[in-house]
Amino acid sequence: MAGQARELGRVLAAAKDEGRAALVGYLPAGFPTVDGGIAACTALLEGGCDIVEVGLPHSDPVLDGPVIQTADDIALRGGVRIADVLRTVRETHAATGAPVLCMTYWNPVDRYGAERFATELAEAGGAGCILPDLPVEESETWRKAAEQHGLATVFVVAPSSRDERLAKITAAGSGFVYAASLMGVTGTRESVGREAEDLVRRTRATTDLPVCVGLGVSNADQAAEVASFADGVIVGSAFVKRLLDHAGDPDGGLAAVRSLAGELAEGVRRRGR
């Protein structure tokens, strides 16, 4: 890895050295507006997140639950474009120095051009890409472009993934492995479940990459639970919901996001491994 992907590795390693999991926040670009989204991503990092994922809004988000779908719809109706996503990455990274990844379905990148997207994401200071629907078998073009530009390629594993499949996915990925804690779409949940811990254990048996868990964490207690067995805790829907709850009140939304990041950061430190 080179470029910002190295910084991603350093941040994950530094959290491990502190005896805790890293806190990874997610928000879609263009929500509630492009400028508002940049401010919100910055607030996540100021509040206590170590890393941020900037979502590229998609009209058919197969992995995302209703909360993120609502935010994506607002962003798309607002006219968000890939240029706005890249601007969000650029300005968030410039303001904080933290690793910023882009989370996107493959189709927009394929249409835009893998080489062009990788080039522009790297130029924006991006650390890499999370591609939840790109099969490893079809990923060579992207992975070559990403490696050339110093970007990490993060793949998603799920509880349904068999051990041999996990090995294939983790061998192709870089940066970290995104472990979806439960089958189904994103969203906050009452419990993150034991499936997540088993998935982390099985994934670690195939790779030295950090394993970060997402899908379902919404409060400090859940963050502490996941932090006890994972290298990173990924939170998205809970942050989006805070902004939705403060529609029409940008300052209140930013304060709510910053506050939640602080609570979650306390959680991952409470139950360091």
Side-chain angles (χ1 to χ4, degrees):
M1 290 188 296
Q4 289 304 317
R6 281 201 188 125
E7 182 60 23
L8 173 66
R10 280 195 291 269
V11 168
L12 288 163
K16 185 177 182 179
D17 287 345
E18 292 175 17
R20 67 174 179 89
L23 179 60
V24 185
Y26 165 91
L27 284 171
F31 167 74
T33 62
V34 176
D35 288 343
I38 293 166
C41 286
T42 303
L44 289 188
L45 293 159
E46 291 172 346
C49 286
D50 300 289
I51 298 161
V52 70
E53 301 171 7
V54 173
L56 195 161
H58 194 268
S59 57
D60 185 26
V62 294
L63 185 72
D64 295 316
V67 171
I68 291 176
Q69 286 184 24
T70 298
D72 278 4
D73 185 56
I74 290 169
L76 291 167
R77 284 191 281 113
V80 71
R81 296 288 182 266
I82 285 180
D84 299 312
V85 177
L86 294 167
R87 180 185 156 212
T88 301
V89 171
R90 180 182 300 106
E91 295 193 16
T92 301
H93 176 65
T96 64
V100 183
L101 297 107
C102 179
M103 186 164 187
T104 176
Y105 294 97
W106 175 241
N107 185 257
V109 177
D110 191 33
R111 287 203 313 264
Y112 197 74
E115 172 63 30
R116 178 186 177 196
F117 189 81
T119 300
E120 295 181 11
L121 181 58
E123 288 173 349
C129 229
I130 304 167
L131 297 155
D133 67 336
L134 177 62
V136 169
E137 294 82 1
E138 299 171 21
S139 67
E140 185 177 2
T141 297
W142 166 258
R143 285 189 289 120
K144 282 185 174 178
E147 186 173 0
Q148 182 180 347
H149 293 286
L151 299 171
T153 297
V154 177
F155 288 110
V156 177
V157 298
S160 60
S161 304
R162 295 179 181 273
D163 290 351
E164 57 269 28
R165 182 67 182 164
L166 288 176
K168 190 169 190 176
I169 292 170
T170 58
S174 57
F176 64 89
V177 182
Y178 188 127
S181 66
L182 295 163
M183 297 299 293
V185 298
T186 59
T188 60
R189 303 177 194 274
E190 294 299 316
S191 170
V192 292
R194 288 293 158 210
E195 282 185 321
E197 188 167 0
D198 181 63
L199 177 58
V200 170
R201 178 188 58 77
R202 292 195 298 119
T203 303
R204 280 209 182 114
T206 72
T207 183
D208 291 329
L209 289 173
V211 183
C212 302
V213 171
L215 305 189
V217 173
S218 60
N219 59 51
D221 288 343
Q222 291 175 344
E225 179 187 352
V226 174
S228 70
F229 59 79
D231 300 298
V233 179
I234 303 171
V235 181
S237 294
F239 284 123
V240 173
K241 188 173 186 304
R242 291 286 175 106
L243 290 178
L244 287 170
D245 288 346
H246 289 81
D249 178 16
D251 290 341
L254 293 178
V257 158
R258 195 177 286 109
S259 174
L260 178 59
E263 294 167 20
L264 295 166
E266 184 275 327
V268 300
R269 285 163 174 79
R270 188 197 317 162
R271 283 281 294 274
R273 288 179 293 108

